[in-house]
């Protein structure tokens, strides 16, 4: 699978709201930086995702303006704009921001080792 397909699969998995699907694309030692939280390792990342899915109902996550700024046979880094929308206390809310994803090869598969999301809303 190409790194572009891994990114696409990761976004699709995120929209299932099932962390088992998401974890297939994430390295066990991954570090995620969110606007107000740092998560290290799958357990902390899973807790963050589940909390977000419980807080924002029916969330839909999408990306645009993907720019691969570095790529070789073992690692790849992309920048993009992320968008989300869902229901909070019954009201439709949405937001967007900047993202950086760093992928590495583990056992011949592209895995996210780092994600950095910065909200712009």
């Amino acid at each position: 699978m190409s790194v572009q397909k891994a990114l696409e699969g990761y976004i699709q998995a995120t929209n299932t709201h099932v962390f088992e699907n998401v974890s297939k694309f994430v390295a066990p030692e991954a570090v995620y930086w969110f606007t107000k939280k740092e998560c290290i390792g799958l357990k902390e990342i899973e807790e963050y995702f589940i909390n977000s899915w419980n807080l924002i109902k029916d969330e839909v996550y999408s990306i645009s303006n993907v720019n691969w700024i570095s790529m070789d046979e073992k690692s790849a880094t992309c920048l993009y704009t992320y968008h989300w929308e869902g229901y909070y206390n019954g009201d439709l809310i949405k937001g967007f921001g900047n993202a950086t994803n760093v992928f590495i090869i583990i056992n011949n598969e592209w895995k996210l080792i780092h994600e950095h999301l910065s909200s712009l809303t």
Side-chain angles (χ1 to χ4, degrees):
M1 173 185 315
S2 72
V3 69
Q4 177 65 39
K5 291 289 185 193
L7 175 61
E8 292 168 6
Y10 173 67
I11 300 304
Q12 291 171 356
T14 299
N15 284 317
T16 68
H17 301 180
V18 176
F19 192 76
E20 183 179 338
N21 297 334
V22 174
S23 69
K24 295 173 185 174
F25 297 93
V26 181
E29 67 278 14
V31 175
Y32 276 40
W33 292 346
F34 299 105
T35 301
K36 296 180 181 178
K37 176 85 172 152
E38 176 181 87
C39 298
I40 300 171
L42 280 175
K43 183 176 178 1
E44 288 183 15
I45 296 166
E46 178 179 16
E47 289 170 358
Y48 188 90
F49 271 69
I50 289 172
N51 183 60
S52 293
W53 292 328
N54 287 334
L55 191 63
I56 309 297
K57 302 296 183 190
D58 301 322
E59 181 188 20
V60 176
Y61 187 81
S62 62
I63 64 175
S64 63
N65 304 318
V66 177
N67 181 17
W68 293 96
I69 61 169
S70 175
M71 190 178 305
D72 63 32
E73 59 279 343
K74 294 184 181 182
S75 67
T77 302
C78 67
L79 309 175
Y80 57 84
T81 303
Y82 70 87
H83 311 267
W84 62 270
E85 67 178 39
Y87 293 90
Y88 178 73
N89 290 333
D91 295 324
L92 180 63
I93 60 171
K94 54 181 138 181
F96 66 97
N98 292 324
T100 303
N101 282 171
V102 180
F103 290 84
I104 60 171
I105 290 286
I106 299 176
N107 298 326
N108 296 317
E109 293 182 329
W110 288 104
K111 303 283 185 176
L112 264 167
I113 190 71
H114 178 63
E115 178 166 271
H116 183 179
L117 303 179
S118 298
S119 176
L120 295 175
T121 56

